[in-house]
Structure formats: C-alpha cells, structure tokens
Amino acid sequence: MGERSLIPQMRLDDLLSELQDRLETVLATRDRVHALLEAVVSVGSDLDLETVLRRITEAAAKLVDARYAALGVIGEGGTLERFIPVGLTEEEIARIEHWPHGKGLLGLLIKDPQTLRMADLAEHPESYGFPAGHPPMRSFLGVPVRVRDEVFGNLYLTEKAGGGAFEEEDEAVVNALAAAAGVAIENARLYEETRRREDWLRVSSEVTTSLLSGDDPGEVLTIMARRARELTVADTAMVSFPHEDVVRIEIVEGFGEELLRARDMQMDRSLAGVTLRTGRPQSTPDLQKSTGHPPHLEGVPLGPAIAVPLGGTDGARGVLVLARQSGAPPFGEPDLRMAEALGGQAAIALELAAARRDAERLGLLEDRDRIAKDLHDVVIQRLFAVAMTLMSTVRMVEHPAASARLQHAVDELDQTIKEIRSTIFALQTPPQAGPARTLRGRVTELVEAAREQLGFMPGIRMEGPLDNTVPEEIGEQLRAVLREALSNVARHARASRAQVLVEVSGGALLLEVSDNGVGIPEDGRRSGLRNLAERAERLGGSFTAERAEGGGSRLRWRVPLGRG
C-alpha cells in the first residue's frame, strides 16, 4: 500500500519539475525577447550613424552575454573600412598593434556572408590569428548585417560568458538584431545623406556667391578649403600648386597650418604631385608613411588622406588634399564625391581668374595700341610739321644767336621725335608676364634695377629691331657693359641725371651712357673702363669714354652685329 502511494507522488514531482523547467524557459525566452525588443528600440532611436553602429554592437554583446563584440564595416575592395569594438579598455586597445584588415576568418565572412558559429575559432582552417597585443578569444559568432540587398558589414561576438559556446538561440537573436540593425543603418545613412546635401547646397551657394562677386581667387580657394574640411570632417585641408619641379602648399586650413604652409612636395611621389600629374583623385591610408612626404613634417601626424585635382580645360591647375590625423577612420566614397564637387567649383574660380587676367591684359594691349597710334598719327606729325617750319625759318633769321637757338630747337624736336618713336615701338610690344625674355625687357629691367643704387631713375631710349637682330651672346655682353657703366655712374660720377641709349643701325649695336656728373678724370683710367674696352675689342668693336660738353661724361660702346 505504501509503495503504491509513492508512485503517484513521484510522477507528480516529475511533472512539477518539468513544468517548472518549461516555465523558466518561457520566462527566459520572454526576457530575451523583451531584451531584443529593447535593443531594437534603442538601435532605432538615433539618426547619427556612428551612434547607431556603436549601439548595435553593444546590444549584440548584451543579448548573448559576449565579453567582446565588434562591428566591421566593409569598404571598397572587400576590406574593413571601420572597426567598432566593444568590451576592450583603452589600455587594451592601445596594446593592439593594428585593427583587423578583413583577412583570415573575418575575410571569409566578407567573401561568404553567412552566419558562422564556433566553439574555438582557432580551430578553423581560415583562422588568421590575432595581431600583437590582442587579447585571447575562443568562442565565436559572426553574423552579417545587410542593408537592403547590400552587405554593410559583420557583427563579431567572442568569449561567451561562463566559457561555453554560443548556442542556436544566440544565433537567432543576433540574426534578428542584425535585421533590425539594417533598417536603422539605412535610416541613419539616408538622414546623413540628406544632411550632407543640405550642407553642400549651403557651401555651394557661398562659393558661388564669392565667384560671382569677383572675389580674389585666393579668398575663394580659402573658403572652399575650409568648407571642404568641415563637410568631410577632416582635420586639415591643403590647396597646392605646381612650382617648377615641385608642388607647393599655398593654402592650409586646420591642423598643422604653420608647419605646412609654403612647404614643397615632390612632384613624382607625393600624393598631391601624383594627383596633379595624372589628373585623377588619389587616396592613402597614411599620409605620413607616403614615400613623398617630407621628413621635416613628422610633427604633423596626418593619416588617411584624399586628393582631388582642381581641373580646367587645359588640365589640373592645382590639388585639394584633405587629411585626418593618424588613427582616424579613412574617408568614404561620399567624402570623395564631396571633395570632387568642391574641386570642380575651385576650378571654375581659377578659370574665371584667368579669364579676368586675359580680359585685363587685352584691355591694356588695346589701350597701348590706341596710344601708340595717337602718338604716331597725331603727335609725331605735328612735331615734324613744327620742326619743318622752324628749319625753313632758320634761313630767314640773320641774327646769329637767334639762328643758333632755332637750330637747337629743331635738334631738340628731332630728338623728341626719336624718343616718341622708341616709345611707340615699346607700346606695340606685348608686355610679358614674369621675368623678361626679350632684350628690350632685360635692358629695361637692368636700368630700373639701377634706380636704388643711383638714387634716381635713368632715362632710357631704345631704337631699332633689338629683339630680332642682336644675337644672344652680344646681348649678354651688352647687359654686362650696361651694368658696369651704371655702376660707375653710381660710384664715381656724383650725378643727378643719366641717360641710356641702345640703338641698332647700320649693322651695329650702339650703347651710350651719359650723365651730368663730375666727368672722367683727366689723369687716369679706371679698371672698369678697361674691361668695357676689352669686351668691345673681343667682338671687333670700339669703346670711348670722354667728358661731355657742359659737364659729365659719355660712354660709347659699339660692336658689329655680323659677329658673335
């Protein structure tokens, strides 16, 4: 009787125990579902992409009791563009040599985006190992995160609490979270794209206003660089231009301004130089390790960088470089598109500036041509008529003094006509940008440079086809003689006025330098004058130095043009 009464009691205990287990399972499932719902709500409650990604990672670790979690964002080329870790302290992060690049087991998830669960990830044949300083990890759960039909990245979970392996329920929960995460990421990306477009429209309007207002190109480019740095969250923006065989940084905004401005980069190996030569955008994960990065800029630790050409109809005229400090995440495709758009506007600024310079130059040439025509057609003709009248009057004047004065006036008019003709020729010669290349321009530069040494501006007159008939060697000798002659005037003449004449006539080149100073001493010759005479003799010419009538001195250096 007693044994029979115990059997129903044992069955009841078993049933109660089984019921309790099932209740605990239901409660645990309810708690996990509740936690999953909270995680989904938390993940979708923010529109900042960086915040959303970190919340996804934290929620996944909490749902499956994982010690470590990370979200790897897949970039171009099937590598990890960003890696967001959870569970590591700052000290542990500092000890890790580098973040994963998407190789080995993580690369397998990228190539084959399927859920992967293992008790010991080291046993997998694709396991690549850990970088130096990385904490040990065994249990592993990897789940892809999809945004629409695109694999955005992967959730990586390791070290299940208690040392066990991840279970099917963990896999199901993380898959559910990943599905919700895809929606949250898509919303955040759409919001970010909308905000970027608003910022771009604002910046575009600002730059366009500057362009249409006729602002200086340097100011427009500075505004462009500053706004590009803000829009792409870069630490430094640089605008560089070619200078002979190097690329010079002319505009810098942000980190490292003082050290970077006016620095030169190699044309053949630097990021800016390659962009300028190829006319195509370039990027680097670490600007400081770039082969063309100057060693003296090690004090500016710049890492990820992109460069876009400031193109025009005739090729790239400059380069916009955007860089972040070492350790920062790389630039994405939207950043590159934004930089290219701003670079296009900067190119318009350069084109407009060039067009304005051409228009100003054309206007100047038209004015010079008009003045030259007026001088030739009006002024010279009137002076010539006056000179002819005076010459006919000389014969009618019997008083010797009056006749001499009239003849002197005729000579002065003739000299004035020659000087005006020289001016007309100079006006009709297009001005050159940069250093003078013609003989006329070089002689003019030399005379103007003597102003500071003399204390006054010498007069200058040039006659004949100097630029077309004087050989290069004789031109160099002429400049050397002129330089020495003006130096002698400055050092010895104590003059207040000097006149330079350069003339081509009769197959010879004549240089005459006169002044109103103390004149050449009667009892000696200077070594500088001997040098001028020797230069003339070597070219088969002649040189004289004499006291001028009325005071001062006159140097005449004449060489034939048939030699040299």
PDB file of all heavy atoms in Angstrom, residues 353-373:
ATOM      1  N   ALA A 353      39.396  83.574 -62.852  1.00  0.00           N
ATOM      2  CA  ALA A 353      40.531  84.460 -62.583  1.00  0.00           C
ATOM      3  C   ALA A 353      41.411  84.599 -63.817  1.00  0.00           C
ATOM      4  O   ALA A 353      41.868  85.700 -64.153  1.00  0.00           O
ATOM      5  CB  ALA A 353      41.343  83.917 -61.408  1.00  0.00           C
ATOM      6  N   ALA A 354      41.651  83.465 -64.498  1.00  0.00           N
ATOM      7  CA  ALA A 354      42.467  83.515 -65.719  1.00  0.00           C
ATOM      8  C   ALA A 354      41.767  84.340 -66.803  1.00  0.00           C
ATOM      9  O   ALA A 354      42.410  85.111 -67.523  1.00  0.00           O
ATOM     10  CB  ALA A 354      42.744  82.106 -66.216  1.00  0.00           C
ATOM     11  N   ALA A 355      40.440  84.172 -66.896  1.00  0.00           N
ATOM     12  CA  ALA A 355      39.689  84.935 -67.902  1.00  0.00           C
ATOM     13  C   ALA A 355      39.744  86.434 -67.595  1.00  0.00           C
ATOM     14  O   ALA A 355      39.883  87.260 -68.512  1.00  0.00           O
ATOM     15  CB  ALA A 355      38.243  84.457 -67.944  1.00  0.00           C
ATOM     16  N   ARG A 356      39.651  86.776 -66.298  1.00  0.00           N
ATOM     17  CA  ARG A 356      39.741  88.200 -65.934  1.00  0.00           C
ATOM     18  C   ARG A 356      41.117  88.758 -66.264  1.00  0.00           C
ATOM     19  O   ARG A 356      41.237  89.885 -66.764  1.00  0.00           O
ATOM     20  CB  ARG A 356      39.449  88.372 -64.438  1.00  0.00           C
ATOM     21  CG  ARG A 356      37.997  88.137 -64.060  1.00  0.00           C
ATOM     22  CD  ARG A 356      37.730  88.624 -62.648  1.00  0.00           C
ATOM     23  NE  ARG A 356      36.409  88.208 -62.194  1.00  0.00           N
ATOM     24  CZ  ARG A 356      36.188  87.205 -61.372  1.00  0.00           C
ATOM     25  NH1 ARG A 356      37.203  86.512 -60.887  1.00  0.00           N
ATOM     26  NH2 ARG A 356      34.967  86.885 -61.005  1.00  0.00           N
ATOM     27  N   ARG A 357      42.170  87.974 -65.974  1.00  0.00           N
ATOM     28  CA  ARG A 357      43.521  88.445 -66.295  1.00  0.00           C
ATOM     29  C   ARG A 357      43.679  88.641 -67.798  1.00  0.00           C
ATOM     30  O   ARG A 357      44.276  89.626 -68.250  1.00  0.00           O
ATOM     31  CB  ARG A 357      44.555  87.444 -65.784  1.00  0.00           C
ATOM     32  CG  ARG A 357      44.750  87.469 -64.282  1.00  0.00           C
ATOM     33  CD  ARG A 357      46.020  86.735 -63.896  1.00  0.00           C
ATOM     34  NE  ARG A 357      45.987  85.338 -64.312  1.00  0.00           N
ATOM     35  CZ  ARG A 357      45.544  84.355 -63.547  1.00  0.00           C
ATOM     36  NH1 ARG A 357      45.088  84.617 -62.334  1.00  0.00           N
ATOM     37  NH2 ARG A 357      45.559  83.107 -63.976  1.00  0.00           N
ATOM     38  N   ASP A 358      43.125  87.702 -68.582  1.00  0.00           N
ATOM     39  CA  ASP A 358      43.219  87.828 -70.043  1.00  0.00           C
ATOM     40  C   ASP A 358      42.462  89.061 -70.529  1.00  0.00           C
ATOM     41  O   ASP A 358      42.929  89.773 -71.424  1.00  0.00           O
ATOM     42  CB  ASP A 358      42.669  86.571 -70.715  1.00  0.00           C
ATOM     43  CG  ASP A 358      43.573  85.364 -70.510  1.00  0.00           C
ATOM     44  OD1 ASP A 358      44.750  85.568 -70.150  1.00  0.00           O
ATOM     45  OD2 ASP A 358      43.092  84.228 -70.677  1.00  0.00           O
ATOM     46  N   ALA A 359      41.279  89.296 -69.926  1.00  0.00           N
ATOM     47  CA  ALA A 359      40.488  90.463 -70.332  1.00  0.00           C
ATOM     48  C   ALA A 359      41.223  91.760 -69.980  1.00  0.00           C
ATOM     49  O   ALA A 359      41.254  92.712 -70.770  1.00  0.00           O
ATOM     50  CB  ALA A 359      39.116  90.420 -69.653  1.00  0.00           C
ATOM     51  N   GLU A 360      41.813  91.803 -68.771  1.00  0.00           N
ATOM     52  CA  GLU A 360      42.569  92.987 -68.369  1.00  0.00           C
ATOM     53  C   GLU A 360      43.778  93.187 -69.286  1.00  0.00           C
ATOM     54  O   GLU A 360      44.105  94.315 -69.666  1.00  0.00           O
ATOM     55  CB  GLU A 360      43.016  92.854 -66.914  1.00  0.00           C
ATOM     56  CG  GLU A 360      41.857  92.918 -65.920  1.00  0.00           C
ATOM     57  CD  GLU A 360      42.290  92.545 -64.524  1.00  0.00           C
ATOM     58  OE1 GLU A 360      43.491  92.214 -64.328  1.00  0.00           O
ATOM     59  OE2 GLU A 360      41.439  92.580 -63.609  1.00  0.00           O
ATOM     60  N   ARG A 361      44.449  92.082 -69.614  1.00  0.00           N
ATOM     61  CA  ARG A 361      45.611  92.164 -70.491  1.00  0.00           C
ATOM     62  C   ARG A 361      45.201  92.643 -71.887  1.00  0.00           C
ATOM     63  O   ARG A 361      45.887  93.480 -72.484  1.00  0.00           O
ATOM     64  CB  ARG A 361      46.263  90.775 -70.576  1.00  0.00           C
ATOM     65  CG  ARG A 361      47.543  90.737 -71.393  1.00  0.00           C
ATOM     66  CD  ARG A 361      48.087  89.315 -71.386  1.00  0.00           C
ATOM     67  NE  ARG A 361      49.266  89.183 -72.230  1.00  0.00           N
ATOM     68  CZ  ARG A 361      50.496  89.451 -71.842  1.00  0.00           C
ATOM     69  NH1 ARG A 361      50.714  89.888 -70.603  1.00  0.00           N
ATOM     70  NH2 ARG A 361      51.524  89.307 -72.655  1.00  0.00           N
ATOM     71  N   LEU A 362      44.062  92.122 -72.389  1.00  0.00           N
ATOM     72  CA  LEU A 362      43.584  92.550 -73.697  1.00  0.00           C
ATOM     73  C   LEU A 362      43.228  94.038 -73.680  1.00  0.00           C
ATOM     74  O   LEU A 362      43.556  94.779 -74.608  1.00  0.00           O
ATOM     75  CB  LEU A 362      42.361  91.715 -74.095  1.00  0.00           C
ATOM     76  CG  LEU A 362      41.740  92.045 -75.459  1.00  0.00           C
ATOM     77  CD1 LEU A 362      42.762  91.831 -76.568  1.00  0.00           C
ATOM     78  CD2 LEU A 362      40.499  91.188 -75.696  1.00  0.00           C
ATOM     79  N   GLY A 363      42.563  94.466 -72.593  1.00  0.00           N
ATOM     80  CA  GLY A 363      42.232  95.880 -72.481  1.00  0.00           C
ATOM     81  C   GLY A 363      43.473  96.755 -72.441  1.00  0.00           C
ATOM     82  O   GLY A 363      43.520  97.835 -73.053  1.00  0.00           O
ATOM     83  N   LEU A 364      44.510  96.288 -71.715  1.00  0.00           N
ATOM     84  CA  LEU A 364      45.765  97.037 -71.648  1.00  0.00           C
ATOM     85  C   LEU A 364      46.418  97.121 -73.025  1.00  0.00           C
ATOM     86  O   LEU A 364      46.904  98.184 -73.433  1.00  0.00           O
ATOM     87  CB  LEU A 364      46.707  96.354 -70.647  1.00  0.00           C
ATOM     88  CG  LEU A 364      48.106  96.955 -70.516  1.00  0.00           C
ATOM     89  CD1 LEU A 364      48.031  98.387 -70.011  1.00  0.00           C
ATOM     90  CD2 LEU A 364      48.965  96.106 -69.587  1.00  0.00           C
ATOM     91  N   LEU A 365      46.426  95.983 -73.751  1.00  0.00           N
ATOM     92  CA  LEU A 365      47.030  95.991 -75.089  1.00  0.00           C
ATOM     93  C   LEU A 365      46.279  96.921 -76.036  1.00  0.00           C
ATOM     94  O   LEU A 365      46.890  97.624 -76.854  1.00  0.00           O
ATOM     95  CB  LEU A 365      47.043  94.563 -75.656  1.00  0.00           C
ATOM     96  CG  LEU A 365      47.991  93.570 -74.966  1.00  0.00           C
ATOM     97  CD1 LEU A 365      47.818  92.184 -75.565  1.00  0.00           C
ATOM     98  CD2 LEU A 365      49.439  94.031 -75.107  1.00  0.00           C
ATOM     99  N   GLU A 366      44.935  96.933 -75.919  1.00  0.00           N
ATOM    100  CA  GLU A 366      44.151  97.821 -76.767  1.00  0.00           C
ATOM    101  C   GLU A 366      44.459  99.281 -76.450  1.00  0.00           C
ATOM    102  O   GLU A 366      44.578 100.123 -77.354  1.00  0.00           O
ATOM    103  CB  GLU A 366      42.661  97.533 -76.594  1.00  0.00           C
ATOM    104  CG  GLU A 366      42.233  96.198 -77.190  1.00  0.00           C
ATOM    105  CD  GLU A 366      40.771  95.879 -76.898  1.00  0.00           C
ATOM    106  OE1 GLU A 366      40.194  96.573 -76.029  1.00  0.00           O
ATOM    107  OE2 GLU A 366      40.227  94.957 -77.531  1.00  0.00           O
ATOM    108  N   ASP A 367      44.598  99.593 -75.143  1.00  0.00           N
ATOM    109  CA  ASP A 367      44.939 100.962 -74.754  1.00  0.00           C
ATOM    110  C   ASP A 367      46.325 101.350 -75.268  1.00  0.00           C
ATOM    111  O   ASP A 367      46.534 102.468 -75.759  1.00  0.00           O
ATOM    112  CB  ASP A 367      44.889 101.111 -73.232  1.00  0.00           C
ATOM    113  CG  ASP A 367      43.466 101.126 -72.710  1.00  0.00           C
ATOM    114  OD1 ASP A 367      42.552 101.355 -73.517  1.00  0.00           O
ATOM    115  OD2 ASP A 367      43.271 100.903 -71.500  1.00  0.00           O
ATOM    116  N   ARG A 368      47.273 100.405 -75.134  1.00  0.00           N
ATOM    117  CA  ARG A 368      48.630 100.685 -75.612  1.00  0.00           C
ATOM    118  C   ARG A 368      48.644 100.907 -77.118  1.00  0.00           C
ATOM    119  O   ARG A 368      49.328 101.815 -77.626  1.00  0.00           O
ATOM    120  CB  ARG A 368      49.551  99.517 -75.240  1.00  0.00           C
ATOM    121  CG  ARG A 368      49.852  99.424 -73.758  1.00  0.00           C
ATOM    122  CD  ARG A 368      50.430  98.072 -73.423  1.00  0.00           C
ATOM    123  NE  ARG A 368      51.722  97.860 -74.056  1.00  0.00           N
ATOM    124  CZ  ARG A 368      52.889  97.949 -73.443  1.00  0.00           C
ATOM    125  NH1 ARG A 368      52.932  98.265 -72.159  1.00  0.00           N
ATOM    126  NH2 ARG A 368      54.022  97.737 -74.076  1.00  0.00           N
ATOM    127  N   ASP A 369      47.880 100.104 -77.830  1.00  0.00           N
ATOM    128  CA  ASP A 369      47.833 100.244 -79.280  1.00  0.00           C
ATOM    129  C   ASP A 369      47.194 101.574 -79.679  1.00  0.00           C
ATOM    130  O   ASP A 369      47.664 102.251 -80.606  1.00  0.00           O
ATOM    131  CB  ASP A 369      47.047  99.074 -79.871  1.00  0.00           C
ATOM    132  CG  ASP A 369      47.149  99.032 -81.385  1.00  0.00           C
ATOM    133  OD1 ASP A 369      48.276  99.007 -81.898  1.00  0.00           O
ATOM    134  OD2 ASP A 369      46.096  99.030 -82.048  1.00  0.00           O
ATOM    135  N   ARG A 370      46.140 101.955 -78.940  1.00  0.00           N
ATOM    136  CA  ARG A 370      45.481 103.241 -79.242  1.00  0.00           C
ATOM    137  C   ARG A 370      46.428 104.417 -78.982  1.00  0.00           C
ATOM    138  O   ARG A 370      46.527 105.352 -79.793  1.00  0.00           O
ATOM    139  CB  ARG A 370      44.217 103.379 -78.390  1.00  0.00           C
ATOM    140  CG  ARG A 370      43.490 104.697 -78.560  1.00  0.00           C
ATOM    141  CD  ARG A 370      42.271 104.766 -77.669  1.00  0.00           C
ATOM    142  NE  ARG A 370      42.601 104.490 -76.275  1.00  0.00           N
ATOM    143  CZ  ARG A 370      43.158 105.400 -75.468  1.00  0.00           C
ATOM    144  NH1 ARG A 370      43.453 106.617 -75.919  1.00  0.00           N
ATOM    145  NH2 ARG A 370      43.403 105.102 -74.214  1.00  0.00           N
ATOM    146  N   ILE A 371      47.140 104.339 -77.842  1.00  0.00           N
ATOM    147  CA  ILE A 371      48.078 105.419 -77.523  1.00  0.00           C
ATOM    148  C   ILE A 371      49.187 105.493 -78.561  1.00  0.00           C
ATOM    149  O   ILE A 371      49.593 106.584 -78.995  1.00  0.00           O
ATOM    150  CB  ILE A 371      48.658 105.200 -76.106  1.00  0.00           C
ATOM    151  CG1 ILE A 371      47.553 105.350 -75.061  1.00  0.00           C
ATOM    152  CG2 ILE A 371      49.789 106.174 -75.823  1.00  0.00           C
ATOM    153  CD1 ILE A 371      47.978 104.924 -73.669  1.00  0.00           C
ATOM    154  N   ALA A 372      49.695 104.307 -78.972  1.00  0.00           N
ATOM    155  CA  ALA A 372      50.766 104.284 -79.975  1.00  0.00           C
ATOM    156  C   ALA A 372      50.283 104.910 -81.281  1.00  0.00           C
ATOM    157  O   ALA A 372      51.013 105.684 -81.934  1.00  0.00           O
ATOM    158  CB  ALA A 372      51.235 102.852 -80.195  1.00  0.00           C
ATOM    159  N   LYS A 373      49.050 104.594 -81.698  1.00  0.00           N
ATOM    160  CA  LYS A 373      48.515 105.164 -82.935  1.00  0.00           C
ATOM    161  C   LYS A 373      48.353 106.673 -82.818  1.00  0.00           C
ATOM    162  O   LYS A 373      48.654 107.424 -83.767  1.00  0.00           O
ATOM    163  CB  LYS A 373      47.178 104.497 -83.268  1.00  0.00           C
ATOM    164  CG  LYS A 373      47.310 103.076 -83.783  1.00  0.00           C
ATOM    165  CD  LYS A 373      45.952 102.493 -84.118  1.00  0.00           C
ATOM    166  CE  LYS A 373      46.102 101.079 -84.668  1.00  0.00           C
ATOM    167  NZ  LYS A 373      44.784 100.457 -84.982  1.00  0.00           N
TER     168      LYS A 373
END
